Amino acid sequence: APLVSIRRVSKQFANGTIAVRDVDLDLGAGEFVSLLGPSGCGKSTLLRMIAGLGSPSTGTIDWPGAGEDKAGRDLGFVFQDPTLMPWANALSNVMLPLVLKHVPKREAEERAAQMLALVGLKGFEKSYPRELSGGMKMRVSIARALVMRPKILLMDEPFAALDEITRHRLNDDLLNLWWRERFTAVFVTHSVFESVYLSQRIVVMAARPGRVMADLDVSAPYPRD
Ligand code: ADP
Ligand code: ADP
């Protein structure tokens, strides 16, 4: 069964804007999918509905692959703005979801430190957001989104505000992280390059706003090293 099953989903906002129209989409466990399209075509709205941030006007979003366990739905969300707590160091920022779930402090610290190491920030546990570069703050944000080990990581143009070199490094490291951990990744972008570089599958939203125009298999015919 797919992890997420989207059936005939549309979204009309209170002001009359129809942001998403009649979308059918299955997300398989372990896939890396890009949602590609120009600004305003409804990518964010669709991603947010998958996250449960706003419900569809019509249609359904089900989680058949998550099992009966509601915790199995757990997801991580990464926004374009890393939205870190400025008064807390990197470790405390990553610990937040664990603390909210009442994971004991010692264990939370260990898991957060492991996650920081996985995103390449070993040694920066005590650094405050203001001491970190944009790319490093984004790494902290990704670590925080993954620290609960969610089945799915939803990312809304996470690297769009970063310079090109930082962006390439983050693309590489995200890909390696996914390769190792095998969560389902859904990556919203308006960059064709980024979508081809990162994903196995590209869902194109465009032209007639809110619709899925194409669903492309772009998996490489060779394993990545
Ligand atoms: P992006 O191109 O990065 O997705 P947008 O300008 O489309 O940025 O949207 C940024 C944020 O503003 C989103 O959270 C979106 O939901 C919200 N937003 C966009 N358009 C409107 C609108 N017409 N009214 C209210 N909120 C909006
Ligand atoms: P994208 O992520 O592809 O840039 P969005 O999903 O942010 O597109 O927006 C799709 C359309 O819905 C745009 O026309 C946007 O202005 C509009 N929109 C987004 N959020 C809102 C909102 N909260 N209220 C009204 N219109 C919105």
Side-chain angles (χ1 to χ4, degrees):
L3 181 60
V4 181
S5 175
I6 299 167
R7 286 291 168 274
R8 306 209 60 161
V9 160
S10 299
K11 176 70 174 185
Q12 181 165 26
F13 286 107
N15 68 358
T17 305
I18 299 175
V20 171
R21 289 176 208 246
D22 231 357
V23 168
D24 280 303
L25 209 56
D26 281 336
L27 303 175
E31 274 192 310
F32 200 128
V33 185
S34 286
L35 286 182
L36 172 70
S39 199
C41 72
K43 306 181 297 294
S44 292
T45 303
L46 182 59
L47 193 75
R48 294 170 66 87
M49 286 192 289
I50 295 171
L53 304 166
S55 49
S57 307
T58 59
T60 55
I61 300 179
D62 293 317
W63 293 69
E68 291 305 305
D69 179 15
K70 197 170 176 296
R73 281 190 186 194
D74 272 0
L75 54 88
F77 204 106
V78 177
F79 300 90
Q80 188 174 319
D81 174 358
T83 61
L84 304 177
M85 302 181 289
W87 61 86
N89 65 28
L91 190 71
S92 300
N93 268 284
V94 175
M95 280 170 66
L96 178 68
L98 299 163
V99 170
L100 292 175
K101 292 276 183 203
H102 308 293
V103 173
K105 185 158 179 274
R106 177 74 61 83
E107 186 194 336
E109 280 174 353
E110 264 169 34
R111 286 170 64 180
Q114 271 171 14
M115 222 39 249
L116 277 174
L118 268 179
V119 298
L121 286 183
K122 200 172 171 58
F124 291 91
E125 297 83 0
K126 296 277 161 57
S127 300
Y128 286 85
R130 65 174 176 278
E131 301 169 318
L132 300 172
S133 69
M136 290 162 108
K137 279 187 278 208
M138 183 49 70
R139 288 171 190 274
V140 176
S141 180
I142 292 170
R144 183 182 54 191
L146 288 175
V147 78
M148 299 296 290
R149 302 280 167 174
K151 282 212 168 68
I152 188 165
L153 180 64
L154 305 171
M155 296 166 277
D156 194 354
E157 306 216 35
F159 310 149
L162 302 172
D163 69 81
E164 210 171 330
I165 292 171
T166 303
R167 195 171 171 152
H168 280 296
R169 290 209 185 103
L170 276 159
N171 279 335
D172 271 342
D173 291 349
L174 174 62
L175 207 47
N176 283 327
L177 193 60
W178 170 78
W179 197 248
R180 230 182 320 176
E181 306 283 313
R182 283 313 173 110
F183 44 86
T184 301
V186 184
F187 191 95
V188 163
T189 180
H190 52 242
S191 160
V192 174
F193 173 86
E194 205 165 47
S195 65
V196 173
Y197 190 73
L198 286 173
S199 35
Q200 307 174 304
R201 179 181 172 200
I202 303 177
V203 173
V204 183
M205 295 179 71
R208 291 174 293 162
R211 288 187 197 273
V212 169
M213 306 306 290
D215 191 339
L216 310 168
D217 179 353
V218 290
S219 50
Y222 49 85
R224 291 183 192 263
D225 49 320

